[in-house]
Amino acid sequence: MKIKSFLYIGLAVFATNTMFAQANILNAKIPEEIGMKTEAQLLLDNDEPLEYGYVGDRDILFSKMIWEKIVLDERVNFPLYFPIEENLGDDRKSLYQVLLENMKSGMISKVYADDYFTEERTLKDLEASLTMTKITDAGIDYMNENGVGEDEIPEEYIIRREIGPADINSFLVKGLWYFDKRQGELKYRLLGIAPAAPDVNFIDSEDSANNEPIPMFWIFFPEVRDILHEAKAFNDKNSAVPISFDHLLNSRRFGGLIYKEENVYGDREVKEYVAENALMQLLESERIKDKIRNFEQDMWSY
């Protein structure tokens, strides 16, 4: 009986590795066969993200909405940032690249201007914040000398700049901490995510004041879970078993700094009432975190 159980476990592990490994890389005779999956592999890949369980309003004993900033310079957040190159294949993309490509293809049909998801934006509306086209001083002189319009200027007089994966320096996430009294557990539900980068018009400026990251658009997270489940983040400990962006974010495998909580003052940010003091802002963020954590501890105090 033990041998049979061991065999079942071994087969399950083998099937999981086969599902996540780069398809057919060991059996390919030519480079074009890499990534071509067999029928058995396609059946194994027919999985979906783990569904959220239903939570009734009466089951929520306590809740607190918070906003966090995920700084991509931190090592723990590297899986969300890298790779910044855009030609490594369909299975190696950064989170920003996954979001942007699915927006362009129409798979992500709704993006929002704010973190309350009240004002929708289209990809055309976002062009001004994603791309920049600028005519150089020499190009203006060329226009004046030759009496031509902007459409007739040679390309050498035009500067084009587009926000790329390397320019994203942080992600902003909005989520709800809540205490489920049915299960007696403090849980977290991610609701929104936004890539943040400096203004495209000043992104190459040496002035640090112009390099402050701003959210480019907000996405309602539950709406894109299927897409993020298909996209995989790189696992530097075992490349045969990557982790989906959906799992990575839902399991909170990232380091975030709380920069805002819902409050009576119109959900003002920490920097608005703790101004020009980075250390005190960090301590205030930790205080908010401890306040949420202590509620769960108090539930089990007698």
Side-chain angles (χ1 to χ4, degrees):
M1 196 68 181
K2 291 183 178 180
I3 296 176
K4 189 177 293 186
S5 300
F6 178 78
L7 289 174
Y8 286 150
I9 295 172
L11 288 172
V13 172
F14 175 76
T16 304
N17 286 337
T18 304
M19 178 177 62
F20 287 112
Q22 191 170 0
N24 209 37
I25 191 170
L26 299 179
N27 302 315
K29 304 299 182 184
I30 55 176
E32 288 76 9
E33 292 182 357
I34 298 177
M36 295 177 62
K37 298 183 179 181
T38 64
E39 292 184 5
Q41 288 174 320
L42 291 173
L43 288 173
L44 287 172
D45 286 349
N46 187 23
D47 62 333
E48 297 179 353
L50 185 64
E51 292 186 9
Y52 292 143
Y54 176 77
V55 182
D57 291 340
R58 294 184 177 182
D59 298 331
I60 301 176
L61 187 63
F62 162 85
S63 69
K64 174 65 73 173
M65 191 77 71
I66 64 166
W67 288 256
E68 294 175 274
K69 183 177 182 179
I70 303 174
V71 180
L72 299 181
D73 286 343
E74 298 181 16
R75 184 175 296 275
V76 68
N77 298 327
F78 281 178
L80 298 173
Y81 179 63
F82 290 103
I84 56 176
E85 297 83 5
E86 302 183 26
N87 57 352
L88 295 181
D90 292 335
D91 59 338
R92 293 291 305 279
K93 296 178 182 178
S94 66
L95 177 57
Y96 173 73
Q97 190 177 353
V98 170
L99 295 175
L100 186 62
E101 288 183 358
N102 281 278
M103 287 169 56
K104 291 180 178 179
S105 67
M107 294 296 293
I108 298 178
S109 57
K110 293 182 181 180
V111 294
Y112 300 88
D114 61 339
D115 49 7
Y116 295 97
F117 314 110
T118 56
E119 189 176 351
E120 289 190 25
R121 286 285 187 266
T122 64
L123 192 59
K124 188 174 182 180
D125 297 331
L126 297 173
E127 285 182 359
S129 59
L130 297 178
T131 60
M132 180 267 292
T133 302
K134 181 180 179 181
I135 302 174
T136 62
D137 294 338
I140 296 175
D141 294 338
Y142 180 88
M143 291 172 58
N144 296 332
E145 292 173 1
N146 297 277
V148 298
E150 295 182 3
D151 297 336
E152 302 176 83
I153 300 177
E155 193 66 26
E156 60 186 279
Y157 297 124
I158 300 176
I159 299 174
R160 302 185 189 277
R161 185 70 161 87
E162 182 177 359
I163 296 291
D167 301 315
I168 306 299
N169 52 24
S170 61
F171 279 94
L172 307 182
V173 294
K174 176 184 179 181
L176 181 73
W177 283 101
Y178 67 96
F179 188 87
D180 190 337
K181 67 180 181 181
R182 292 182 63 186
Q183 299 186 17
E185 185 179 358
L186 185 68
K187 296 183 178 181
Y188 177 78
R189 180 70 59 86
L190 183 60
L191 298 177
I193 186 168
D199 190 326
V200 68
N201 297 294
F202 307 101
I203 194 169
D204 297 318
S205 172
E206 296 182 358
D207 187 0
S208 59
N210 293 326
N211 292 327
E212 185 68 23
I214 55 177
M216 293 183 291
F217 53 83
W218 280 89
I219 293 176
F220 189 60
F221 185 79
E223 196 172 16
V224 298
R225 288 194 63 209
D226 289 333
I227 293 171
L228 297 184
H229 177 73
E230 296 295 330
K232 308 298 181 183
F234 182 71
N235 184 352
D236 60 350
K237 296 181 179 179
N238 187 355
S239 58
V241 187
I243 179 174
S244 70
F245 285 115
D246 175 69
H247 185 193
L248 188 149
L249 291 168
N250 272 309
S251 58
R252 291 189 57 85
R253 294 174 62 171
F254 59 81
L257 177 68
I258 298 175
Y259 70 92
K260 183 168 67 169
E261 67 168 332
E262 60 177 353
N263 52 60
V264 71
Y265 304 103
D267 297 346
R268 65 179 180 179
E269 297 186 18
V270 170
K271 65 181 181 181
E272 294 181 24
Y273 61 93
V274 184
E276 299 180 358
N277 192 326
L279 176 59
M280 295 306 297
Q281 291 173 6
L282 180 62
L283 293 176
E284 174 65 10
S285 175
E286 291 297 318
R287 185 193 68 81
I288 297 172
K289 187 185 300 182
D290 289 338
K291 180 173 62 176
I292 298 171
R293 186 185 298 129
N294 289 340
F295 180 88
E296 183 183 29
Q297 298 295 328
D298 293 342
M299 290 301 298
W300 303 110
S301 298
Y302 296 95

